[in-house]
Amino acid sequence: MQTISTYSTAYTNKKPAVRKANVSRKERAIERLLLRLAAASLFFVLLFVGLTLMKGHADSDLPAVPAEGEQTIVVGAGDTLWDIASSVRKEGEDIRRTVYDLQKRNNLSSSSLRAGQTLIIPAEDRE
């Protein structure tokens, strides 16, 4: 005697196979996103380190040795670069040019000074 089964394979639900494909697509998308985030993070870390190294070598607390005809002064408490520039500039010279020359000669990235800092006053014949 032959048994006939009432269970048919035509009625089986094939969602688990579809779900696996969707999950793997989602997982791949997440992996790609994480890879992009990791690459972007690495780029920004390298950029930050590079700029930090460049900044560290650009400013110098000790300017070069004064050349012939140049003077040195020691910054006092409350002195500003503009005050120093106004006291050393030539008659009729623009003070902005004098401030620029002082910054350039002393490797200053801003006009802020510290008490006790030594500045080199450029020679009279400026470029």
Side-chain angles (χ1 to χ4, degrees), residues 9 18 30 41 88 111:
T9 58
V18 173
I30 290 172
S41 299
V88 299
S111 62

Side-chain angles (χ1 to χ4, degrees), residues 17-108:
V18 173
R19 228 181 296 159
K20 280 186 179 180
N22 285 341
V23 169
S24 64
R25 266 191 242 139
K26 287 180 183 178
E27 287 176 354
R28 281 183 289 193
I30 290 172
E31 287 174 359
R32 283 193 303 263
L33 177 66
L34 290 175
L35 184 62
R36 288 179 186 153
L37 287 173
S41 299
L42 179 63
F43 172 76
F44 284 114
V45 166
L46 290 175
L47 182 67
F48 176 75
V49 168
L51 291 175
T52 303
L53 290 175
M54 285 176 42
K55 170 97 172 112
H57 294 295
D59 287 339
S60 175
D61 288 337
L62 300 173
V65 178
E68 186 177 333
E70 293 181 328
Q71 303 170 6
T72 60
I73 61 167
V74 177
V75 177
D79 285 347
T80 65
L81 192 59
W82 287 83
D83 293 336
I84 294 169
S86 67
S87 68
V88 299
R89 73 181 172 121
K90 291 189 288 187
E91 183 73 29
E93 184 179 23
D94 188 6
I95 192 166
R96 293 173 293 186
R97 175 63 188 198
T98 308
V99 169
Y100 172 77
D101 290 340
L102 285 170
Q103 284 180 321
K104 184 176 174 185
R105 179 61 181 99
N106 293 284
N107 298 325
L108 301 173

